[in-house]
Amino acid sequence: MVETYKKAVVVGANGIIGGNLIAHLVELGDWDVIGLSRRGGKTSGKLSHIAVDLLDPADAKAKLSGLTDITHIFYAAYQDRPSWAELVAPNLAMLVNVVKAIEPIAPNLEHISLMQGYKVYGAHLGPFKTPARESDANHMPPEFNIDQQNFLEAAQKGKAWSWSALRPSVVVGFALGNPMNLASVIAIYAFMSKELGIPLRFPGKPGAYDSLLEMTDAGLLARATVFIATNPQCSNQAFNINNGDLFRWSELWPKIADYFELEVAPPLPMSLNMIMADKEELWKQMIIKHDLLQTPYSDVSAWGFGDFVFGWDYDFFADGTKLRRAGFHEYVDTEEMFIRVFNDLKTRKIIP
Ligand SMILES: NC(=O)c1ccc[n+]([C@@H]2O[C@H](COP(=O)([O-])OP(=O)(O)OC[C@H]3O[C@@H](n4cnc5c(N)ncnc54)[C@H](OP(=O)(O)O)[C@@H]3O)[C@@H](O)[C@H]2O)c1
């Protein structure tokens, strides 16, 4: 069988999603990979990086002008903003600028994959219909994920390439300096509780402790993303991507406490954003005391995201069977996933 040449652009190369996708593509071995981000990254083997500001169409056009042999675009860039409405303009602009810079010059383009999430279902707004399904109706805008999908669908009309929209739950994996990183929120919060000699308390809203949730492992998401992008039966559609199991914090929290060798105390609702704001000095002392990697506090403290996730006092899950019916059958045990990511943080000397 003749292998066809595959060259991927991963947009948002330093992200929790983009970084883990790059690791997977590199491991597969038969992909050339280019990562895009403002910070750039190290070139090694079949992986190289381009530092580009995708908010600037001229910069995008100039810096991406050599990408004529791209076959797949994996879009997972993200610009954080304080309100749902403010997310729309920058996040739509970045996607538009990438597609407009690459699509006209890449005749072998086969697929553009768009990373979305359960915000498509209004999961961030309040109790949404569960299980959410890919066929569910859109909610009242503003919603950048939908604007991005509408743009992509319109751009694809009459073209040889196809698109997909991927909808993970909260993504759990290794990353630093990311606004949405639940594993590091939990790990640093637990590590600080231990340092202060206090038990581990769930900091979320009262109802959140017992809601039914699911997560998406960053590695599983990467494997599903490549599966969808390279299987024609998945073309021009959206897919929910989740671990395949459900859990409640009330069940998982004591297991997380066990891992960190902590007692559990009853939940106490608090804003992590507020309560953890004064802990930078403590973090610096902990780094010295435990001989850890010098990681800036800002790189491990996505406290606002912790408040967001721990504030879900309603069920938070989607139907993941469409992807499984399409032939992707992997699942991940959510408890094992958290332990694996905590172990990874230890190996990297971010926690002791
Ligand atoms: N994290 C989650 O739990 C989660 C869950 C479900 C869905 N999602 C969705 O998945 C998408 C990606 O999220 P994420 O959490 O992986 O994001 P992230 O960790 O914040 O990563 C964003 C990436 O975009 C790059 N970027 C930002 N602005 C840029 C610009 N102007 N030019 C070039 N690159 C830029 C960043 O690199 P530089 O800073 O170096 O530019 C970074 O590599 C988002 O749409 C998000 O809503 C995330």
Side-chain angles (χ1 to χ4, degrees):
M1 203 172 92
V2 184
E3 273 290 300
T4 49
Y5 179 69
K6 289 182 288 191
K7 185 165 185 175
V9 160
V10 177
V11 190
N14 304 321
I16 186 163
I17 293 174
N20 282 286
L21 177 60
I22 286 183
H24 175 57
L25 289 168
V26 167
E27 201 179 282
L28 285 174
D30 56 346
W31 289 82
D32 282 335
V33 184
I34 309 237
L36 305 186
S37 65
R38 286 164 304 180
R39 283 170 281 174
K42 273 198 206 128
T43 293
S44 87
K46 296 176 110 184
L47 167 66
S48 57
H49 286 267
I50 298 174
V52 54
D53 182 0
L54 296 173
L55 284 174
D56 177 348
D59 196 41
K61 194 162 185 222
K63 301 253 178 74
L64 308 185
S65 62
L67 301 183
T68 51
D69 51 355
I70 293 303
T71 58
H72 293 74
I73 298 175
F74 294 100
Y75 186 88
Y78 178 67
Q79 276 271 322
D80 205 18
R81 289 291 184 277
S83 74
W84 306 126
E86 287 167 277
L87 285 170
V88 175
N91 284 294
L92 182 59
M94 290 199 297
L95 175 69
V96 170
N97 292 340
V98 168
V99 173
K100 286 198 168 163
I102 300 177
E103 196 257 358
I105 60 164
N108 298 328
L109 184 65
E110 290 176 31
H111 193 81
I112 303 182
S113 150
L114 171 66
M115 194 56 60
Q116 299 183 317
Y118 291 3
K119 286 193 182 102
V120 169
Y121 304 122
H124 54 309
L125 300 174
F128 61 109
K129 190 218 85 184
T130 51
R133 297 185 207 281
E134 292 88 345
S135 53
D136 287 352
N138 291 344
H139 62 83
M140 181 68 82
E143 179 47 65
F144 76 90
N145 288 284
I146 295 295
D147 290 349
Q148 287 179 327
Q149 184 178 328
N150 288 343
F151 162 74
L152 204 53
E153 281 192 53
Q156 187 273 337
K157 290 261 171 339
K159 303 285 171 59
W161 53 272
S162 60
W163 63 270
S164 59
L166 315 179
R167 300 176 180 171
S169 181
V170 176
V171 178
V172 176
F174 174 76
L176 284 177
N178 305 74
M180 293 185 282
N181 186 347
L182 188 64
S184 81
V185 165
I186 296 175
I188 306 305
Y189 175 74
F191 177 28
M192 285 193 163
S193 299
K194 191 167 186 177
E195 195 66 20
L196 295 169
I198 52 176
L200 193 65
R201 279 181 200 275
F202 180 73
K205 280 193 196 163
Y209 206 45
D210 288 311
S211 330
L212 209 46
L213 289 104
E214 69 188 350
M215 300 272 133
T216 303
D217 174 73
L220 176 126
L221 176 58
R223 296 187 290 279
T225 300
V226 174
F227 175 89
I228 291 166
T230 52
N231 276 283
Q233 78 269 23
C234 299
S235 290
N236 303 333
Q237 301 170 55
F239 287 94
N240 295 332
I241 304 176
N242 46 45
N243 284 355
D245 61 0
L246 298 172
F247 73 98
R248 298 177 203 276
W249 289 117
S250 53
E251 190 188 6
L252 192 57
W253 200 252
K255 294 177 177 164
I256 291 172
D258 260 3
Y259 176 86
F260 287 98
E261 297 170 331
L262 284 162
E263 296 293 320
V264 193
L268 179 66
M270 63 182 105
S271 158
L272 292 176
N273 224 0
M274 217 164 71
I275 218 96
M276 304 306 278
D278 68 349
K279 305 284 186 297
E280 182 160 5
E281 221 20 68
L282 175 63
W283 176 245
K284 286 181 184 162
Q285 288 163 18
M286 286 159 64
I287 288 179
I288 295 168
K289 181 175 162 192
H290 299 282
D291 192 23
L292 301 175
L293 201 72
Q294 287 290 341
T295 311
Y297 188 53
S298 56
D299 275 6
V300 291
S301 42
W303 301 123
F305 188 59
D307 287 337
F308 178 53
V309 173
F310 296 142
W312 295 332
D313 51 1
Y314 46 88
D315 292 345
F316 195 97
F317 62 94
D319 175 17
T321 60
K322 184 181 173 192
L323 178 59
R324 289 168 177 109
R325 284 196 300 276
F328 183 84
H329 297 137
E330 277 191 51
Y331 67 92
V332 165
D333 180 305
T334 295
E335 186 185 330
E336 281 173 21
M337 172 196 71
F338 274 111
I339 306 294
R340 178 165 32 82
V341 178
F342 297 152
N343 283 337
D344 191 14
L345 289 168
K346 280 190 177 177
T347 308
R348 293 171 192 263
K349 294 197 77 174
I350 290 164
I351 56 173

